Amino acid sequence: MKAEKSKKRKKSAIMAAVVLLIGVVCFTGFTMTARSSSESSQVQITAGKNEELIYARLTSVIGNDITCTLTGSGEEKAYEIPVGTDVVTRLGTITTFSKLSEGNNVAILLEKDTDIVKAVWITE
């Protein structure tokens, strides 16, 4: 009788250890996947031919009209974002200007030597 109880306890302990090990492996795999996917989702911000990038902090957002302070020079500029212009979040999701808010740091892609906004990236 005691030998039978001892076998059951030993079997239960082994099963508990296996379940715990599986849980640890799954958790570790999940966190590593989440970390690597967030690291690989860094958005590339580049300007093409006849385009220029400016970096700024938004000081006012009213609909698709934005006012910002340019990084570096401190100059204040105003832009109108055309309807349908891509706004890209830090995680790479494409959205609209409705996601912009005062205080966002952004990269703004302009048509070279104009104030025509072609795309906006939220950088912070």
Side-chain angles (χ1 to χ4, degrees), residues 60-66 79-81 96-101:
S60 172
V61 178
I62 301 171
N64 62 332
D65 293 319
I66 60 171
Y79 298 99
E80 182 179 341
I81 301 172
T96 65
F97 56 79
S98 66
K99 293 294 183 188
L100 295 173
S101 60

Side-chain angles (χ1 to χ4, degrees), residues 50-70:
N50 296 321
E51 297 175 332
E52 62 183 321
L53 274 172
I54 61 164
Y55 292 88
R57 182 172 188 85
L58 299 181
T59 55
S60 172
V61 178
I62 301 171
N64 62 332
D65 293 319
I66 60 171
T67 305
C68 57
T69 302
L70 302 182

Side-chain angles (χ1 to χ4, degrees), residues 73-105:
S73 71
E75 180 184 355
E76 189 165 280
K77 295 282 283 184
Y79 298 99
E80 182 179 341
I81 301 172
V83 174
T85 300
D86 287 344
V87 174
V88 184
T89 68
R90 288 180 288 177
L91 298 177
T93 305
I94 296 175
T95 185
T96 65
F97 56 79
S98 66
K99 293 294 183 188
L100 295 173
S101 60
E102 187 176 308
N104 285 145
N105 287 329

